[in-house]
Amino acid sequence: MDYGRNEISDFLKKAYELVDDPSTDSIISWSPNGLSFVVLKPLECSRDLLTRRLQITNFSPFQSYGFRKIDISPGQELEFACDDFVRGKPELLDKIAQRYLARLKAYHDSKYGELDKRLKSATTREEYELAIKEHREKWERESRDRKARTRVTPTIPYQDFAFGRNDIFDFLKKAYALVDDPSTDSIVSWAPNGLSFVVWQPLEFTKDLLPRHLQITHFAKFHTYGFSKLVISSGQQLEFMCNDFVRGKPELLDKIAQRYVARMKDTELWKIDERLENATSKEEYDLAMKDKEEMFARKSKERKAIMATRRKST
């Protein structure tokens, strides 16, 4: 299970070098005990250093690798700690990578272990196809049960959603309610024309309101649904707009959801997943899986080429 080992180690090494770089101490540096690091200027760190040095825009990847956020009372600093991420001991980074890969393997085994055993022990085509069919039915049943436990019925009168649309609409409805809430106007509010919204205090917005109201920690999901960021010359405010995200017209939100679903259905991944779901033979399933693996490998290669180009330009 060494897939991705080099990429994980490379990320951790670059993160260590960033924290250890004395030229960035005014933005990010080790804590006094050397067992954690402090982000003194989170906005500058996210906008500049993370993007340029690690090719990320927020701290979520750190948490994926086992870093935990520590609360700091004074100011707006952030502090993160992780076992074996220690000042002066870069040789310990490999232990973090090992733990991360172990978690990935445990997840894979828990989700696909039984299927892998049945596929390897299958002696006939019928046994192979039955194993795939029963695994897919189990996954779909668990997915339906999970959505039934977490779904919130929209208060806006739209009920006939296509597959996957309830979760999308629920996010848009909560985002609209957050922007429209007068009690948060000092942090986020509608622009004067009502066709966009302004984040007046980005750090407070991402640290408090986004996790509490939308269960996210950054703006990436807004971009996913078609929101575009506008440039505001004064201060550090952020402004976002999206067609049909309009003050006083929550009934238009479904149009945003419709556009997102239409875009997803046109993607290569969606079409391959449909082929996997509708496969009626081992040959069809294996061919779709091969195409999916080749697609991921191709996109990974393209991302690496883009990152290499960005590094050269800086």
Side-chain angles (χ1 to χ4, degrees), residues 100-212:
Y100 177 75
L101 289 171
R103 289 198 302 272
L104 285 183
K105 184 179 184 304
Y107 173 79
H108 179 275
D109 291 345
S110 67
K111 196 168 185 64
Y112 301 105
E114 181 182 349
L115 175 64
D116 289 343
K117 290 179 182 178
R118 292 185 61 184
L119 292 179
K120 288 179 181 178
S121 62
T123 57
T124 65
R125 174 177 171 179
E126 288 73 17
E127 289 179 357
Y128 191 96
E129 292 175 354
L130 179 61
I132 293 174
K133 178 184 176 183
E134 291 181 351
H135 177 78
R136 184 166 59 239
E137 290 175 348
K138 177 184 176 183
W139 182 86
E140 291 174 347
R141 184 170 61 253
E142 290 175 350
S143 179
R144 285 194 301 269
D145 292 343
R146 188 165 54 250
K147 288 183 178 180
R149 290 193 300 269
T150 59
R151 180 170 297 140
V152 177
T153 304
T155 56
I156 301 173
Y158 283 89
Q159 300 294 332
D160 297 327
F161 296 116
F163 173 74
R165 287 259 300 285
N166 279 345
D167 293 338
I168 300 166
F169 188 84
D170 189 50
F171 174 86
L172 293 170
K173 179 176 69 103
K174 289 179 178 178
Y176 182 95
L178 174 59
V179 174
D180 204 48
D181 184 354
S183 69
T184 61
D185 279 356
S186 63
I187 300 175
V188 60
S189 69
W190 292 104
N193 60 13
L195 300 178
S196 60
F197 68 89
V198 180
V199 182
W200 303 102
Q201 300 182 47
L203 188 58
E204 288 81 349
F205 189 64
T206 54
K207 284 177 60 179
D208 180 24
L209 296 185
L210 285 186
R212 184 153 48 89

